[in-house]
Amino acid sequence: TGLADLAVQGAVCGAAVGILQAVVLRPLLGRRAVAWPVVLSAVWAAGWAITAAAGVRVDQQFAVFGASGAIVVTALTAVLPILVNRSQEASS
């Protein structure tokens, strides 16, 4: 359960979730939705890395990352509602 392993796990999971979200977001964001899986992949990898760096015992096989990683992921993904809102305003 090294840092690189956690980053890869986060990247893969983030990409999978991001792909599914991009399908839903495509009507709202257009072509920009294609970038979302890449963004989410990087953000989730960072969340796991921050969790490990904060001293969370990831070797105990927690299914979700600790609050430190979750706060970072939440803050970094807060851009999505802003993009959706701007897209909706622009189309109005």
Side-chain angles (χ1 to χ4, degrees):
T1 341
L3 181 58
D5 299 322
L6 293 170
V8 169
Q9 176 181 318
V12 170
C13 292
V17 171
I19 289 167
L20 295 173
Q21 288 178 342
V23 170
V24 174
L25 292 169
R26 180 120 166 74
L28 297 172
L29 296 178
R31 291 179 20 213
R32 289 183 292 176
V34 174
W36 188 244
V38 176
V39 170
L40 204 57
S41 178
V43 168
W44 279 36
W48 274 105
I50 289 167
T51 295
V56 174
R57 302 271 325 250
V58 294
D59 57 332
Q60 293 180 353
Q61 300 178 350
F62 293 111
V64 296
F65 44 87
S68 56
I71 290 169
V72 170
V73 169
T74 300
L76 292 175
T77 57
V79 69
L80 181 60
I82 294 167
L83 286 174
V84 170
N85 189 38
R86 284 187 181 166
S87 293
Q88 289 178 339
E89 287 175 357
S91 65
S92 296

